[in-house]
């Protein structure tokens, strides 16, 4: 984030999506307009809303609906899919189990990752090996989430095509060894409401998720309507709210895109505070590079930023593992 933005822009990406399979898409005026807006949003805020994304609203709501049903179950039921290092950090974490910068977060969640078959990435992949622990109750979670992940993956790939053009690259800049085989992460998150009964007190700000950046390329946030809780930090340190807007996802840039773009785009700090009297659900989908991608500034981005690489090479899988290994109590 390079500016004191006060609001988060809304970008209608329908004309980008309509041309995404066209090899001459970069010449299309409608695509050019979306690309221009993406570039501005990524430079200024690192956050934007996408509308015209094509994912059915019924599925977006169903995803949050099954999440509410799961979090409403008794603790013993939720513990049946408890997260552990042995399960590849997949599964359910209770409120306070996730830690951000040393402070327990006031959220519970189910973490899911693209599956890694045993030995697939050698020692690099080992900590994340495991199969996802989908709840059996409510019964349709796996089915709904797998369909949702499929659509979010397609959508993200297409947004990344627009971002590739925005950076002055070719449309397939983030294909192949970079992100042709994207690793994805799904976090199904619940933030308790404000009430003295669960230890939350109106007079203090309990942090649902402390200030952090996301780890990969792009995040798609599907948040409950009517509760404003997500906040994004601008250059002077003010927290700008990202309220839910019907028909949109909140979309933000992760650490790997910051490196690829040589800092032209930043992975903006954000946090979550649910000060409402209602339990809040958010389902965050993270589109990441190939698990074993070696990420370094793109030449086209170095040229735009003084010619010198500002970041060394990072291996995405190492970055992810260093995070998950310190994220839990
Ligand atoms: N995969 C992602 N981005 N997860 C976001 C969780 C952020 C909080 C985490 N404890 C942290 O400190 O990173
Ligand atoms: O709950 C939200 O709105 C965002 C959650 C988030 O930032 C994350 O899980 O990385
Ligand atoms: Fe985040």
């Amino acid at each position: 984030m390079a500016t004191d933005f006060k609001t988060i822009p809304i970008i209608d990406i329908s004309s980008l999506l309509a041309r995404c399979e066209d090899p001459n898409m970069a010449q299309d005026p409608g695509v050019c307009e979306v690309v221009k807006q993406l570039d501005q949003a990524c430079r200024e805020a690192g956050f934007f809303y996408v509308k015209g994304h094509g994912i059915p609203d019924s599925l977006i709501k169903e995803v949050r609906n099954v999440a509410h049903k799961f979090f409403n179950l008794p603790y013993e039921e939720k513990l049946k899919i408890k997260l552990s290092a042995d399960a590849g950090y997949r599964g359910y974490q209770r409120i306070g189990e996730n830690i951000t910068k040393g402070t327990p977060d006031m959220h519970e969640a189910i973490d899911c990752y693209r599956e890694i078959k045993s030995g697939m990435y050698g020692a690099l992949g080992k900590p994340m090996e495991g199969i996802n622990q989908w709840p059996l109750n409510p019964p349709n979670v796996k089915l709904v989430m797998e369909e949702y992940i499929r659509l979010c993956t397609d959508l993200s790939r297409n947004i990344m095509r627009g971002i590739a053009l925005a950076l002055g690259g070719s449309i397939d800049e983030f294909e192949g060894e970079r992100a042709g085989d994207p690793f994805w992460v799904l976090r199904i998150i619940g933030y308790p409401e404000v009430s003295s009964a669960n230890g939350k007190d109106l007079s203090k700000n309990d942090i649902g998720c402390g200030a952090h950046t996301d780890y990969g390329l792009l995040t798609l946030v599907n948040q409950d309507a009517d509760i404003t809780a997500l906040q994004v930090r601008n250059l002077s340190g003010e927290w700008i709210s990202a309220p839910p807007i019907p028909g949109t996802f909140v979309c933000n840039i992760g650490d790997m895109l910051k490196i690829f773009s040589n800092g032209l785009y930043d992975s903006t700090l954000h946090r979550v505070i649910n000060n409402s009297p209602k339990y809040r659900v958010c389902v965050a989908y993270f589109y990441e590079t190939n698990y074993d991608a070696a990420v370094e500034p793109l030449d086209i981005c170095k040229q735009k930023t003084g010619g010198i690489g500002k970041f060394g090479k990072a291996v995405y899988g190492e970055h992810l593992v260093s995070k998950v290994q310190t994220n839990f109590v």
Side-chain angles (χ1 to χ4, degrees):
M1 150 275 317
T3 67
D4 267 335
F5 62 92
K6 301 284 182 206
T7 58
I8 296 167
I10 304 175
I11 306 179
D12 183 345
I13 60 166
S14 48
S15 40
L16 169 70
L17 299 185
R19 298 275 180 285
C20 256
E21 302 307 322
D22 174 357
N24 298 320
M25 66 183 274
Q27 278 83 55
D28 180 85
V31 171
C32 290
E33 178 54 33
V34 175
V35 165
K36 198 180 96 193
Q37 291 179 29
L38 285 173
D39 187 51
Q40 187 177 356
C42 291
R43 284 174 190 257
E44 293 183 356
F47 264 80
F48 49 94
Y49 291 88
V50 288
K51 71 172 191 184
H53 51 70
I55 299 187
D57 199 46
S58 52
L59 179 62
I60 291 174
K61 286 205 179 105
E62 181 63 2
V63 158
R64 298 200 308 264
N65 194 23
V66 295
H68 273 285
K69 284 186 183 155
F70 174 80
F71 290 126
N72 226 340
L73 294 170
Y75 185 48
E76 308 79 68
E77 182 67 25
K78 296 188 273 194
L79 274 186
K80 288 181 179 166
I81 57 161
K82 187 177 165 37
L83 176 146
S84 68
D86 286 344
Y89 296 94
R90 295 150 198 268
Y92 171 76
Q93 58 211 257
R94 59 170 169 75
I95 294 168
E97 195 170 340
N98 204 310
I99 309 267
T100 302
K101 299 205 180 91
T103 305
D105 291 320
M106 290 302 110
H107 73 250
E108 54 187 330
I110 306 174
D111 284 355
C112 312
Y113 298 88
R114 196 185 148 161
E115 280 168 20
I116 296 183
K117 296 210 168 57
S118 177
M120 201 169 160
Y121 299 110
L124 177 65
K126 196 94 198 121
M128 302 305 299
E129 280 178 10
I131 52 167
N132 286 318
Q133 303 201 66
W134 298 108
L136 294 174
N137 187 2
N140 52 344
V141 181
K142 181 173 193 278
L143 203 73
V144 170
M145 295 300 172
E146 286 184 341
E147 171 70 354
Y148 185 67
I149 289 163
R150 193 176 64 75
L151 295 179
C152 286
T153 302
D154 287 347
L155 171 61
S156 303
R157 179 180 282 116
N158 288 333
I159 297 173
M160 285 309 297
R161 292 186 149 205
I163 289 179
L165 295 178
L167 288 170
S170 64
I171 45 179
D172 56 2
E173 211 65 57
F174 299 104
E175 299 289 337
E177 290 188 350
R178 290 186 182 132
D181 183 22
F183 194 72
W184 56 257
V185 182
L186 190 78
R187 300 199 72 222
I188 304 165
I189 316 164
Y191 302 89
E193 67 279 16
V194 172
S195 95
S196 46
N198 60 27
K200 288 183 86 177
D201 179 338
L202 272 170
S203 62
K204 45 176 223 295
N205 266 355
D206 272 317
I207 308 286
C209 187
H212 67 278
T213 59
D214 293 343
Y215 315 151
L217 290 174
L218 205 68
T219 307
L220 298 176
V221 172
N222 172 4
Q223 55 174 334
D224 264 347
D226 307 322
I227 302 172
T228 298
L230 175 59
Q231 303 177 350
V232 183
R233 212 184 71 152
N234 75 10
L235 190 61
S236 36
E238 294 166 297
W239 290 100
I240 308 300
S241 285
I245 299 180
T248 72
F249 289 105
V250 174
C251 189
N252 65 282
I253 284 169
D255 299 334
M256 295 303 112
L257 188 48
K258 171 190 176 150
I259 298 176
F260 276 132
S261 70
N262 204 27
L264 203 55
Y265 300 166
D266 201 356
S267 49
T268 306
L269 273 174
H270 53 284
R271 68 180 185 186
V272 180
I273 300 174
N274 182 16
N275 266 335
S276 93
K278 281 202 283 193
Y279 189 96
R280 173 180 183 267
V281 153
C282 165
V283 179
Y285 168 90
F286 304 91
Y287 183 83
E288 324 260 316
T289 63
N290 292 10
Y291 187 82
D292 58 354
V295 178
E296 57 186 336
L298 300 175
D299 286 335
I300 42 166
C301 296
K302 279 196 279 192
Q303 283 160 23
K304 289 188 184 189
T305 47
I308 296 155
K310 293 182 184 155
F311 310 98
K313 202 178 269 187
V315 176
Y316 165 72
E318 283 175 8
H319 184 56
L320 176 66
V321 167
S322 76
K323 293 285 186 176
V324 292
Q325 286 181 340
T326 54
N327 266 350
F328 299 101
V329 281

